Amino acid sequence: MLDVTRASPDARAYARAEELVSLLTDLYGAGLTRIAELAGEHAPHLVPHLIADELVASLMLVHGLHPDGLAQRVEVALESVRPMLAGHGGDVELLDVDEDAAAVHLRLLGSCDGCPSSASTLQNAVEEAILAAAPEIAIIDVEEPTETPGPGSVPITLGPKPEYTSCPAEPVAP
């Protein structure tokens, strides 16, 4: 809607719409902050349930209210895919989280290291888990195998995720 308003011949309409969105975001953020404070004070047993809810957790992330740090959220995401990787004789190790660069550095272990299907395994399972838990991550870097890869192996390097000027899921206005 902001993009449609931006294309309007009235530049003031876009500025007003953008200000309205900002004010509403601030209002809802303040309300969510208060809810989180009250839950922490009066119903601390509720906080883990709020964090476990995907929608509530994502709102808490947007407003800087999520109680778990970035490295902890990434590790939890990796824990969620480890059983699947173990089923293929592999694992993934978190080497570093660089909050300033919004980057995660990983190493594949076991059979996943150098496995031809590692690229799709990492791309689909590990990356999705990390980005769901830590949407602020822009770079997922995978350490190359130190051994000489065998025949048919595929080296894996993920670059930065694309930056969009608008939501790619939104329909384009005619």
Side-chain angles (χ1 to χ4, degrees):
M1 292 300 295
L2 282 175
D3 287 340
V4 170
T5 307
R6 181 183 292 148
S8 163
D10 182 4
R12 292 177 300 168
Y14 174 73
R16 288 181 182 143
E18 189 176 45
E19 182 180 6
L20 177 61
V21 168
S22 177
L23 291 171
L24 282 172
T25 302
D26 291 348
L27 175 66
Y28 285 115
L32 185 59
T33 298
R34 189 67 189 129
I35 290 168
E37 289 170 354
L38 290 170
E41 290 172 19
H42 302 289
H45 64 279
L46 182 60
V47 175
H49 297 286
L50 294 173
I51 296 167
D53 184 276
E54 189 175 328
L55 177 60
V56 175
S58 67
L59 288 173
M60 293 178 88
L61 283 170
V62 166
H63 294 286
L65 299 171
H66 201 288
D68 297 338
L70 180 60
Q72 183 179 0
R73 288 184 282 123
V74 169
E75 189 58 59
V76 167
L78 294 177
E79 283 299 320
S80 74
V81 295
R82 281 197 170 102
M84 184 267 303
L85 295 174
H88 296 280
D91 197 1
V92 62
E93 178 183 8
L94 177 61
L95 299 175
D96 188 30
V97 175
D98 185 340
E99 292 191 32
D100 295 332
V104 173
H105 187 174
L106 308 172
R107 177 186 301 138
L108 291 179
L109 304 169
S111 296
C112 287
D113 181 13
C115 170
S117 66
S118 290
S120 63
T121 299
L122 183 67
Q123 183 74 28
N124 296 331
V126 177
E127 184 175 324
E128 285 179 21
I130 289 172
L131 294 178
E136 64 269 45
I137 294 297
I139 300 169
I140 299 174
D141 180 51
V142 180
E143 188 172 284
E144 295 289 334
T146 54
E147 302 171 6
T148 305
S153 64
V154 178
I156 303 167
T157 303
L158 298 177
K161 67 182 180 182
E163 294 184 24
Y164 298 99
T165 56
S166 64
C167 179
E170 292 178 357
V172 177

